[in-house]
Amino acid sequence: MSSFKPLVFSGVQPTGNLHLGNYLGAIKKFVALQDGNDCMYCVVDLHSLTAQLVHDDLEDQTRQITAAFLAAGIDPEKHVVFNQSRVMQHAELAWIFNCVARIGWMNRMTQFKDKAGKDRENASLGLLAYPSLMAADILVYRATHVPVGEDQKQHLELTRDIAQKFNNDFSERIAARGLGVEMKMGDETVQGYFPITEPVIGGPAARIMSLRDGSKKMSKSDPSDLSRINLTDDADAISKKIRKAKTDPDALPSEVDGLAGRPEAENLVGIYAGLADMSKQDVLNEFAGVQFSVFKPALADLAVEKLAPVAAEMRRISADRAYVDAVLRNGGERARALAEATMHDVRSIIGLLQD
Ligand code: AMP
Ligand code: TRP
């Protein structure tokens, strides 16, 4: 019996500016995973409707994220880069997953609770069902590996629960059609139609925090622009934001344990490590005993060195709208063919008549 072909999938929403957290937590990993893997990277425009329905410039935001993928070094010839809404099979599978997942699973999602706030009754139904669409994004390609930041971990656990429940509930119909694939679950070998996806989370930059408050994650929605470094910031803005970043009065410790209880210090060390492809301990080996008055300028130089070329390339690619649109169109066609093959099986497994 065959096993699942390794496939990397991830998505980024086209809302607001990309920031350093998105870059280090996600996009840089997307780039690294290209070597030796088949990858699909998606701008999830349908997800951006869950929090806000009407956008003035959704098309341009979608192009902007695409330009960032390309500027960071994703190769759209070797891999598939596309926008979600072009492949309607995502929405079709999401509907089926809405009927697989339980309301209780959705109600437990911390991102839903955060985004819905106090007035939960008034949140869109789409915001509640958001993880079901995310599971469909991944499983419509039967992707096996998903690189994301730490904040998406719970959604990926739900994706695994959905795959498992589908595999269990339809096990006989999957087997009858010869569509089961063997996979290892702990010590057991089980069969299913959907893989139990592995999250790819980790490293020093899986959760980059606000530069103004080490207890909040760096986010597009933070009202203070000083809290984040945008991928479009110029060298002056980057340096100023790092100079103004909140810190404590102590020097850097020599061991990672010494960062405990010092969230702002830990965050800046993590950012340095992420940018330089080092571990936090490597950074401390270099900067033990150093004051922030010295560490911050070193970090600012490194951030400018690493981010300025990406920002410049992003501007260059964004200016060529026809190119960006062609990448998305081409990626969409390739993705649609793959997604339709899955949906054909899924309709057959469920019993939805088709040609
Ligand atoms: P979003 O912009 O919410 O679609 O996020 C895109 C990707 O960036 C996801 O994989 C997130 O987990 C990741 N991400 C967002 N914010 C951060 C952060 N502060 N630190 C690390 N990763 C992040
Ligand atoms: N929920 C993710 C985020 O906000 C974006 C996303 C949508 C995603 N679909 C996905 C990430 C599929 C990975 C795989 O960051």
Side-chain angles (χ1 to χ4, degrees):
M1 178 155 308
S2 58
S3 56
F4 288 103
K5 199 167 146 270
L7 176 68
V8 175
F9 182 96
S10 196
V12 175
Q13 292 194 54
T15 38
N17 263 337
L18 283 174
H19 54 71
L20 187 64
N22 302 128
Y23 180 66
L24 294 179
I27 296 175
K28 224 182 134 183
K29 284 198 204 135
F30 300 176
V31 176
L33 283 164
Q34 291 186 107
D35 273 341
N37 295 297
D38 287 330
C39 304
M40 303 187 69
Y41 295 124
C42 182
V43 185
V44 290
D45 46 9
L46 294 174
H47 271 109
S48 69
L49 308 182
T50 57
Q52 182 189 333
L53 180 59
V54 182
H55 296 252
D56 290 336
D57 55 355
L58 188 54
E59 294 98 333
D60 279 335
Q61 297 277 2
T62 298
R63 294 187 180 107
Q64 186 73 5
I65 304 290
T66 309
F69 284 176
L70 303 175
I74 291 169
D75 180 345
E77 306 278 324
K78 291 207 183 90
H79 304 280
V80 181
V81 174
F82 70 109
N83 61 306
Q84 184 187 32
S85 59
R86 269 219 164 81
V87 184
M88 67 216 177
Q89 286 81 353
H90 290 233
E92 185 183 359
L93 187 58
W95 175 257
I96 289 162
F97 286 170
N98 281 344
C99 302
V100 172
R102 309 287 94 185
I103 294 177
W105 299 3
M106 300 294 166
N107 275 329
R108 279 197 289 280
M109 293 294 112
T110 55
Q111 184 172 298
F112 173 68
K113 290 188 226 173
D114 289 350
K115 286 199 180 168
K118 286 201 185 69
D119 193 7
R120 238 195 246 192
E121 293 287 304
N122 200 32
S124 75
L125 189 51
L127 190 66
L128 182 64
Y130 177 116
S132 178
L133 179 58
M134 178 162 162
D137 297 339
I138 298 164
L139 295 175
V140 84
Y141 304 104
R142 302 208 278 173
T144 55
H145 292 85
V146 181
V148 281
E150 178 80 37
D151 59 348
Q152 296 302 311
K153 195 168 170 202
Q154 200 186 25
H155 289 157
L156 291 183
E157 281 160 9
L158 193 100
T159 299
R160 293 162 67 95
D161 291 343
I162 288 177
Q164 203 154 4
K165 182 160 160 51
F166 183 97
N167 289 344
N168 286 339
D169 290 358
F170 289 104
S171 61
E172 283 174 20
R173 299 179 61 95
I174 293 168
R177 285 159 184 75
L179 291 171
V181 175
E182 266 184 5
M183 62 192 130
K184 278 247 176 254
M185 291 281 293
D187 296 336
E188 264 184 285
T189 301
V190 297
Q191 259 201 36
Y193 182 73
F194 288 118
I196 307 302
T197 303
E198 289 293 332
V200 184
I201 303 175
R207 189 171 170 81
I208 300 293
M209 309 308 282
S210 155
L211 297 178
R212 306 299 300 162
D213 177 351
S215 69
K216 285 202 306 200
K217 72 169 185 178
M218 186 177 284
S219 145
K220 290 169 184 172
S221 55
D222 195 311
S224 164
D225 195 54
L226 281 177
S227 71
R228 67 183 156 259
I229 293 174
N230 303 305
L231 270 194
T232 46
D233 282 347
D234 61 18
D236 285 349
I238 294 174
S239 301
K240 175 174 145 205
K241 287 174 179 180
I242 291 178
R243 197 168 0 102
K244 289 188 175 261
K246 191 175 163 207
T247 44
D248 56 42
D250 296 337
L252 284 171
S254 58
E255 306 295 326
V256 173
D257 286 354
L259 291 169
R262 299 177 63 189
E264 284 86 11
E266 177 158 20
N267 190 37
L268 294 185
V269 170
I271 291 173
Y272 193 105
L275 286 167
D277 290 316
M278 294 162 81
S279 68
K280 285 183 189 171
Q281 186 58 53
D282 289 339
V283 177
L284 294 180
N285 292 346
E286 208 171 310
F287 290 98
V290 163
Q291 294 291 338
F292 282 104
S293 55
V294 175
F295 182 67
K296 280 180 166 181
L299 177 59
D301 285 349
L302 177 68
V304 169
E305 178 197 324
K306 298 286 182 184
L307 300 179
V310 179
E313 189 62 2
M314 226 170 121
R315 277 192 295 278
R316 189 186 70 77
I317 294 171
S318 294
D320 191 350
R321 187 198 275 194
Y323 170 65
V324 174
D325 286 355
V327 164
L328 292 174
R329 192 177 319 114
N330 175 270
E333 276 167 24
R334 289 155 69 197
R336 202 176 304 122
L338 298 168
E340 178 51 24
T342 303
M343 287 317 297
H344 198 272
D345 291 347
V346 169
R347 292 182 209 113
S348 158
I349 290 166
I350 295 175
L352 302 168
L353 287 177
Q354 62 186 334
D355 295 331

